[in-house]
Amino acid sequence: MDTKEFVRIMDSGAEVVARSEVHQYMTRLSNEAMKITAKLNNAYHTPEEIGELMEQLTGREFPEGAYMFPPFYTDCGKNLKLGKNVFINAGCQFQDQGGVTIGDGTLVGPKTVIATLNHHQDPRKRANLLPKPVTIGQNVWIGANVTILPGVTIGDGAIIAAGAVVTKDVAENTIVGGVPAKYLKTIEPDDE
């Protein structure tokens, strides 16, 4: 198995059986991610150095205008896709095995958690994993201490209030907040 095949399997949403070849490869990628994030998080780095470390972590070019304040944590990295001009604030944790896509111009507040894996509900299969992607549109603003759960899509221009737990899709140009996150209002564009 290689990383391309692993990502294809994870993107399919297929159940990952504990101790299977896919699960073992996932563990290998996790160890690699820990090594790279330890470098990222335990010393000062210029923006260029941060971009280079993120390229090692994701296996993708760090997008134009993207920026991050470490520390940053992930237990994979290889299924993380960032758009241009994305900003990721300090202390974020992305569990990206199931796929995390963040659109152009999105701002991610400090200590945001994005999860893409669930464990099986059947206690006999509890160690098995169920991947579901998280997709975040363009120009989204995610407040501090937000948690986004597997399978959620957040529409363009949405705002997620600080401390929200997002359990279901968020429509574009809306504000949601609370636990679980609920619709608060629609964003009206300025006429300027």
Side-chain angles (χ1 to χ4, degrees):
M1 172 167 295
D2 62 13
T3 302
K4 186 175 180 179
E5 176 69 4
F6 170 79
V7 169
R8 188 194 65 72
I9 291 167
M10 297 306 286
D11 287 349
S12 77
E15 182 174 341
V16 177
V17 176
R19 294 172 295 287
S20 66
E21 180 184 8
V22 176
H23 192 253
Q24 290 173 22
Y25 195 82
M26 182 184 298
T27 301
R28 185 174 144 229
L29 290 177
S30 293
N31 286 316
E32 182 180 311
M34 284 188 283
K35 187 185 304 183
I36 296 167
T37 56
K39 288 179 190 175
L40 176 68
N41 296 335
N42 290 305
Y44 170 77
H45 298 286
T46 66
E48 294 77 23
E49 292 168 335
I50 290 170
E52 289 169 11
L53 288 165
M54 286 301 291
E55 288 177 359
Q56 289 176 33
L57 182 65
T58 64
R60 293 180 170 83
E61 185 175 331
F62 197 57
E64 175 186 330
Y67 194 64
M68 156 186 301
F69 288 165
F72 174 75
Y73 305 95
T74 183
D75 47 5
C76 184
K78 301 304 186 211
N79 209 0
L80 173 59
K81 301 165 196 89
L82 302 175
K84 294 177 182 177
N85 302 310
V86 166
F87 173 67
I88 301 171
N89 213 322
C92 292
Q93 168 71 49
F94 295 178
Q95 180 194 55
D96 66 285
Q97 289 95 330
V100 172
T101 302
I102 301 177
D104 295 347
T106 288
L107 309 174
V108 181
K111 298 184 181 174
T112 292
V113 173
I114 301 176
T116 64
L117 296 175
N118 276 315
H119 287 278
H120 207 290
Q121 290 185 2
D122 182 339
R124 296 167 296 175
K125 299 179 181 180
R126 186 62 41 87
N128 292 2
L129 299 165
L130 306 166
K132 288 187 180 177
V134 169
T135 304
I136 300 169
Q138 296 183 15
N139 301 309
V140 172
W141 175 17
I142 299 170
N145 293 301
V146 166
T147 299
I148 303 169
L149 297 182
V152 167
T153 296
I154 298 174
D156 293 346
I159 297 173
I160 312 301
V165 176
V166 185
T167 61
K168 60 184 180 180
D169 291 353
V170 176
E172 65 181 33
N173 298 314
T174 60
I175 301 174
V176 300
V179 179
K182 293 186 179 356
Y183 169 85
L184 298 175
K185 69 184 245 182
T186 299
I187 299 167
E188 299 297 331
D190 290 337
D191 292 332
E192 296 178 32

